[in-house]
Amino acid sequence: MLEFFKKKQVGPSKTVSEKRIKDFQEIYNSFSNDQSIDQASRCSQCGIPYCQIHCPLNNNIPDWLKYIAEDRLEEAYEISSSTNAFPEVCGRVCPQDRLCEGNCVVEKAGFGSITIGSLEKHITETAWEKGWIKPIVSSKKQNQKVAIIGSGPAGLAAATYLIEYGYDVEVFEKNDRIGGLMIYGIPNFKLDKSVVIRRHEWLKESGVIFHTNCEVGKDITFDDLEKNFDAILISTGVYKARSLDLNTKKVNNSVPALDYLIESNRVGLGDTPSSNLNLNAKNKKVIVIGGGDTAMDCVRTAVRQKASDVICLYRRNKENMPGSAREVENAEQEGVNFKWLSVPSEIIQQNDIASSLVYKIAELGEVDESGRRSPVDTDIKETLNSDLIIEALGFQPENINEKFNTNLNLTGWGTIKVDFNKFQTSNPKVFAAGDIVRGASLVVWAIHDGREVAKTIQHYLENKKIKKAS
Ligand code: SF4
Ligand code: SF4
């Protein structure tokens, strides 16, 4: 260990931009075993590991790095998977520059962080290859049933732990495929769909029952779930798009980011393209509005769909973007043009079609509640021609009580109100986790919530059994 003095930080090789924009393949290749040993041995085994402190899952990173460096990958996998239900997903999609790697002591000392995310991916991909990942067989049978509504990362992580604890688990998913945003939101070039499908198959083999095309409130009532299950977990995520507040009439070619990404992912999975041609960027001048990871997913998808021009408009500057710096760099390499400090002010349209977007140049003002400097409009206006506007302005929750015909306490933002220590809602039998509780957030936080809510559901169900027996 402590080799960071001698060995340089080397990430996994990346397909060159000219080649990678021709398809939707993942752009990062995997480490060879020798490379992984080399890179893991750079870790200084800190007494206070800031990498671990800043990992939402509190992964025991120093220990698994040590095992990799000693070529003891099976042990590394045991440790890594003890806190993370889907390490191969986090290794691919976490914004490591803001989490574990951004806080690595070696990074702070100016030597380049330990490449934690890529090593985490390497451990788990090796575990799959070598057959170390077996279907879960629980040592006990609880004879209690849990219904999970939604099959995104929070729901699937909870299912993983609950099946391990011995419960019967059924997942109700309104879409035709399992995975939530991991299957329909995140593009293939960041997370290959086979990675998500493999976990779905593994959970099925472990005994989780999946009901697809089954929307609670439509195809099955929430009441039915309450009658037939001992506990219910709501992990539906947040899908309602925030829209541009420009007092415009209907604009057919200004579309929400998620509609656009879902269509692209569906086509990639072999579905028939939708008849809505505004969901394809081919040969179009595209403007994506927003500065988060979803905006980066959109611009990079548009490049791969062979848009004639892709511009990202963001109201703050590069340093104050909420998304991962690595994703911005990838987008720049792929030919995306960024217009920083640009605030949309008007859509010029004829009939229902936008022909251009007017935006105001902003200056940076004071730091706002997000901790970033807020944009202040100037009166300088610019205009951009556009055939397609994609709005990546964040998500908000749908009204769960209306959808499910329930009466759960909600927060002022419309998310489900829970006791954060237990993820329990105002109905003690009903739990909620992931974005529907915390608002739109990272996959790794959803996995965290799935892990934690599984523990509290177990506690609740054990108490229920004890009460019944006494
Ligand atoms: Fe880093 Fe994410 Fe892995 Fe945690 S889960 S170690 S933040 S890549
Ligand atoms: Fe290793 Fe960096 Fe974590 Fe320290 S902070 S234990 S050097 S990965």
Side-chain angles (χ1 to χ4, degrees):
M1 306 305 286
L2 278 160
E3 296 280 305
F4 67 91
F5 280 110
K6 287 187 247 155
K7 293 177 183 165
K8 281 211 172 89
Q9 181 204 51
V10 182
S13 62
K14 189 163 75 166
T15 311
V16 292
S17 51
E18 297 76 26
K19 186 162 177 243
R20 69 185 191 238
I21 59 172
K22 293 191 175 139
D23 59 36
F24 281 76
Q25 301 298 311
E26 281 191 5
I27 70 165
Y28 291 100
N29 301 312
S30 298
F31 277 136
S32 68
N33 207 44
D34 286 349
Q35 283 172 321
S36 76
I37 291 171
D38 249 23
Q39 290 301 306
S41 69
R42 296 178 68 245
C43 170
S44 73
Q45 297 287 288
C46 305
I48 300 175
Y50 284 97
C51 54
Q52 181 169 358
I53 293 166
H54 288 270
C55 165
L57 293 165
N58 203 240
N59 282 344
N60 192 347
I61 300 163
D63 280 7
W64 47 257
L65 287 175
K66 187 162 185 292
Y67 281 128
I68 299 174
E70 292 170 358
D71 202 12
R72 294 162 68 184
L73 271 195
E74 196 162 357
E75 284 138 302
Y77 168 70
E78 288 302 325
I79 297 194
S80 143
S81 60
S82 67
T83 49
N84 190 350
F86 311 128
E88 74 280 29
V89 174
C90 293
R92 286 170 165 91
V93 304
C94 272
Q96 286 105 10
D97 48 350
R98 285 195 273 139
L99 301 171
C100 53
E101 295 182 15
N103 290 282
C104 168
V105 166
V106 172
E107 167 75 15
K108 300 276 182 207
F111 290 86
S113 74
I114 312 304
T115 47
I116 300 167
S118 309
L119 289 164
E120 192 176 21
K121 173 183 155 191
H122 171 73
I123 297 171
T124 317
E125 286 305 330
T126 308
W128 281 111
E129 263 169 43
K130 302 260 182 197
W132 301 334
I133 304 179
K134 302 266 191 298
I136 300 165
V137 182
S138 179
S139 51
K140 42 181 170 170
K141 190 91 191 101
Q142 304 283 5
N143 295 318
Q144 285 169 305
K145 290 167 71 181
V146 183
I148 298 178
I149 309 172
S151 70
L156 293 189
T160 303
Y161 294 103
L162 287 166
I163 205 91
E164 200 174 313
Y165 299 157
Y167 298 106
D168 296 326
V169 180
E170 295 188 33
V171 177
F172 297 83
E173 169 56 55
K174 68 176 180 181
N175 283 309
D176 54 348
R177 290 187 178 92
I178 295 300
L181 284 182
M182 294 189 293
I183 197 95
Y184 282 135
I186 302 173
N188 229 54
F189 49 83
K190 275 168 62 180
L191 175 65
D192 196 276
K193 299 301 156 234
S194 61
V195 174
V196 185
I197 293 166
R198 185 173 60 186
R199 278 292 174 187
H200 173 204
E201 293 300 324
W202 172 76
L203 282 169
K204 269 202 296 193
E205 284 170 35
S206 302
V208 177
I209 295 171
F210 289 95
H211 305 273
T212 46
N213 292 314
C214 186
E215 187 167 356
V216 177
K218 220 168 162 190
D219 303 304
I220 186 168
T221 67
F222 195 87
D223 271 359
D224 281 339
L225 297 184
E226 270 203 278
K227 274 183 216 129
N228 296 323
F229 289 84
D230 297 284
I232 298 169
L233 168 63
I234 303 175
S235 50
T236 47
V238 291
Y239 283 87
K240 203 167 119 195
R242 276 184 223 283
S243 49
L244 265 178
D245 188 16
L246 295 181
N247 291 325
T248 16
K249 287 181 273 167
K250 186 170 167 254
V251 186
N252 290 337
N253 57 341
S254 184
V255 299
L258 202 52
D259 291 6
Y260 173 71
L261 292 173
I262 289 173
E263 169 69 5
S264 170
N265 279 310
R266 278 194 175 280
V267 172
L269 283 157
D271 291 357
T272 310
S274 133
S275 56
N276 183 356
L277 299 179
N278 292 309
L279 296 177
N280 192 315
K282 191 168 182 189
N283 296 333
K284 293 179 183 162
K285 283 179 189 289
V286 178
I287 300 177
V288 176
I289 303 171
D293 288 340
T294 305
M296 293 312 105
D297 292 346
C298 291
V299 288
R300 298 178 64 203
T301 296
V303 167
R304 284 160 175 77
Q305 288 181 342
K306 302 191 171 40
S308 59
D309 196 15
V310 183
I311 294 174
C312 180
L313 218 67
Y314 180 55
R315 62 201 184 110
R316 303 180 211 243
N317 65 352
K318 191 173 181 178
E319 290 67 42
N320 285 282
M321 278 183 95
S324 157
R326 185 183 60 185
E327 292 308 305
V328 178
E329 186 191 311
N330 285 333
E332 283 178 324
Q333 287 171 354
E334 291 167 11
V336 175
N337 182 0
F338 284 85
K339 296 222 175 275
W340 314 109
L341 292 163
S342 302
V343 184
S345 65
E346 192 187 347
I347 291 179
I348 312 284
Q349 62 184 106
Q350 276 166 348
N351 303 322
D352 295 336
I353 304 292
S355 57
S356 51
L357 178 80
V358 182
Y359 62 96
K360 285 184 183 169
I361 305 291
E363 287 172 352
L364 279 183
E366 298 298 315
V367 172
D368 63 15
E369 68 283 352
S370 72
R372 289 168 292 141
R373 290 181 66 187
S374 56
V376 180
D377 286 1
T378 66
D379 282 330
I380 306 167
K381 286 187 179 178
E382 304 266 352
T383 303
L384 283 171
N385 292 340
S386 171
D387 306 311
L388 173 62
I389 298 171
I390 300 173
E391 302 172 29
L393 301 160
F395 306 101
Q396 49 197 3
E398 293 159 302
N399 190 321
I400 284 289
N401 284 331
E402 259 176 32
K403 267 180 84 94
F404 293 171
N405 195 19
T406 47
N407 197 18
L408 302 170
N409 287 352
L410 304 181
T411 67
W413 295 281
T415 50
I416 298 178
K417 195 168 188 176
V418 293
D419 167 350
F420 256 103
N421 294 317
K422 298 184 190 158
F423 292 91
Q424 198 165 26
T425 70
S426 48
N427 176 344
K429 186 175 178 173
V430 180
F431 296 77
D435 287 0
I436 193 60
V437 168
R438 58 171 73 242
S441 185
L442 302 172
V443 167
V444 65
W445 276 114
I447 295 174
H448 164 273
D449 290 359
R451 181 185 75 187
E452 296 307 305
V453 77
K455 289 183 207 160
T456 59
I457 291 175
Q458 180 192 35
H459 193 238
Y460 166 80
L461 292 176
E462 272 177 3
N463 278 345
K464 202 171 165 182
K465 242 188 206 172
I466 294 165
K467 274 189 200 148
K468 209 173 164 188
S470 58

